Amino acid sequence: MIKGKTLLPIVQGGMGVGISAHRLAGNVAQAGGVGTISSVDLRRHHADLMAETGKSRDKALIDRANLVALDREIKAAKGIAAGAGVVAVNIMRAVSEYANYVRQACASGADAVVCGAGLPLDLPELTAEHPDVAIIPILSDVRGISLILKKWMRKNRLPDAIVIENPKYAAGHLGAARPEDVNDPHFAFPTVLEGTRELLRQLDLEKENIPLIAAGGVHSHEQVKELMALGANAVQLGTPFAVTEEGDAHVNFKRVLVDAKPEDIVTFMSVAGLPARAVKTTWLANYLDKEEKMQRRAKPQQCTVGFDCLHQCGLRDGIPKSGQFCIDTQLAFAMNGDVKRGLFFRGSEPLPFGNEIRSVRDLIDYLLTGRRPAANKLDAGTLPQPA
């Protein structure tokens, strides 16, 4: 239950650049779940906006184009949803345009704003003029959840739900300080769910019924049941939704994810100063071979893409402990299906349908009932591309 609306206990995680846009989010919402648009650099889905900004180094121009794209994507997703479910927007706290993205998401009619990659302490203020918009933080441990709850309580605001993401299994940016920390047992679902329930009791918030959404590595009906038994109210999935027929990325992106073997999936430091998990493709393998040398030589330099996508960027700001590559460029290559040059974020766990690319409806039905769909006769290589 979010903002008085009863939903299926299935949340599709936000995935950028452009991996979860209007088509995926709209279809998940239409099915009765929470569909999530990632706000990061959505202009790449719009040919007219790319024509205006593709070769530009004008930060203000690119930022305005991305706000236009976000507005279009929210409205398109809500059109697909046709009043069902929830259309949310995921906004990384770590991006420089975070506040503007939050304001635009609310103005454009998003049902919820979801924030991770940092502590969104100011989210209540940024959404104050839109009390009907749900605000949902993504956190990984009880300490972070406690901090958000206590800070927001002083502002007479509570989260409308909390996503609890386990960095041991999740894709993309992870809620740990270093790659070696992602396996720390204090991130384990039983520990964090039980600890959060106890925290809510201590703060006298049990009666508020704040939904807890378990995220990271969910890929089976059995896991959904286990997490519910542990105290979760819903589950969030990223990678399994990214590879659905309705996923907004190129089919090559989906094939890289579904064909990846366990040994192909690696954890490394992103330019955002956070560990990240992705498929070790040609580009990533070459980068990791040179990473140590590049980090030793790190020094501040001018951004080459014309806009400051992150508050803190290891490459631009010359931070030796962070990644030394342009994350927006590499993720955009992946979205467009460039297998050699793309950065392909992926979770560590098997996918529900192996290397099959199935529909959003098939995935949701399997997660809720355990029923597997009939054999897919459609060849994944001939799937129609998103509009």
Side-chain angles (χ1 to χ4, degrees):
M1 181 82 72
I2 295 178
K3 285 291 184 185
K5 194 166 194 176
T6 302
L7 305 162
L8 296 179
I10 303 295
V11 179
Q12 167 249 311
M15 297 168 283
V17 168
I19 306 305
S20 62
H22 76 270
R23 192 162 178 258
L24 178 56
N27 277 281
V28 174
Q30 184 189 66
V34 178
T36 310
I37 296 166
S38 171
S39 67
V40 179
D41 210 12
L42 282 167
R43 68 191 169 113
R44 294 186 181 275
H45 275 303
H46 299 267
D48 61 328
L49 298 178
M50 286 304 293
E52 293 174 12
T53 64
K55 296 182 180 179
S56 175
R57 296 294 180 266
D58 184 336
K59 177 184 183 319
L61 178 67
I62 296 172
D63 289 340
R64 283 196 300 272
N66 275 322
L67 293 178
V68 170
L70 178 57
D71 177 68
R72 291 179 184 177
E73 294 292 325
I74 292 169
K75 290 173 178 174
K78 295 205 74 170
I80 295 171
V86 159
V87 172
V89 177
N90 177 286
I91 302 166
M92 292 174 61
R93 183 62 184 85
V95 298
S96 62
E97 291 299 300
Y98 153 77
N100 286 332
Y101 282 145
V102 172
R103 295 187 187 101
Q104 185 65 61
C106 292
S108 297
D111 300 311
V113 171
V114 183
C115 286
L119 293 171
L121 300 177
D122 56 351
L123 195 53
E125 294 97 318
L126 291 173
T127 58
E129 295 181 6
H130 299 271
D132 292 334
V133 176
I135 54 176
I136 304 172
I138 303 175
L139 302 155
S140 292
D141 61 13
V142 178
R143 180 182 177 186
I145 294 168
S146 176
L147 179 59
I148 284 288
L149 285 173
K150 291 174 181 177
K151 291 283 188 181
W152 286 14
M153 286 172 71
R154 295 188 192 117
K155 302 171 185 182
N156 296 313
R157 191 69 162 90
L158 290 172
D160 294 287
I162 300 171
V163 176
I164 297 172
E165 185 178 82
N166 189 334
K168 183 175 181 179
Y169 307 110
H173 290 108
L174 309 174
R178 303 171 300 170
E180 54 266 35
D181 295 335
V182 300
N183 295 322
D184 193 301
H186 89 280
F187 292 126
F189 284 130
T191 300
V192 183
L193 286 166
E194 182 180 347
T196 302
R197 292 292 180 196
E198 176 58 30
L199 175 65
L200 293 172
R201 284 192 288 273
Q202 292 173 5
L203 297 176
D204 196 26
L205 294 177
E206 283 183 291
K207 61 184 180 298
E208 301 295 338
N209 295 317
I210 299 171
L212 304 182
I213 303 167
V218 180
H219 63 278
S220 72
H221 173 64
E222 290 71 27
Q223 282 178 302
V224 175
K225 290 195 297 183
E226 289 170 7
L227 289 166
M228 297 289 193
L230 287 172
N233 302 99
V235 295
Q236 176 177 291
L237 301 88
T239 305
F241 276 114
V243 301
T244 57
E245 293 168 6
E246 295 89 345
D248 292 274
H250 191 282
V251 68
N252 289 353
F253 174 92
K254 301 172 189 182
R255 291 250 55 97
V256 168
L257 268 58
V258 299
D259 290 338
K261 300 178 178 62
E263 60 268 26
D264 298 329
I265 302 164
V266 295
T267 304
F268 59 100
M269 283 300 288
S270 163
V271 294
L274 296 166
R277 182 170 289 120
V279 181
K280 194 174 183 180
T281 52
T282 301
W283 174 81
L284 185 53
N286 289 338
Y287 165 74
L288 292 175
D289 284 343
K290 299 180 292 184
E291 181 184 52
E292 187 176 348
K293 182 185 293 185
M294 294 175 72
Q295 288 176 328
R296 286 200 307 268
R297 296 178 178 177
K299 61 181 180 180
Q301 55 186 290
Q302 186 174 0
C303 178
T304 59
V305 296
F307 69 109
D308 298 335
C309 63
L310 294 166
H311 277 301
Q312 179 176 288
C313 169
L315 179 63
R316 182 193 67 221
D317 302 332
I319 304 170
K321 292 182 180 180
S322 296
Q324 301 296 312
F325 57 91
C326 176
I327 192 165
D328 184 85
T329 299
Q330 306 307 144
L331 290 175
F333 282 143
M335 180 196 76
N336 289 321
D338 190 330
V339 176
K340 291 184 178 179
R341 295 187 292 175
L343 171 58
F344 295 78
F345 283 156
R346 189 200 189 282
S348 65
E349 299 305 282
L351 292 171
F353 305 125
N355 64 357
E356 284 190 81
I357 295 174
R358 306 297 307 220
S359 71
V360 161
R361 292 273 178 172
D362 283 346
L363 176 58
I364 291 176
D365 187 54
Y366 166 65
L367 293 170
L368 294 178
T369 70
R371 291 193 301 264
R372 290 189 173 275
N376 195 345
K377 296 179 181 179
L378 182 62
D379 177 61
T382 63
L383 286 175
Q385 289 307 297

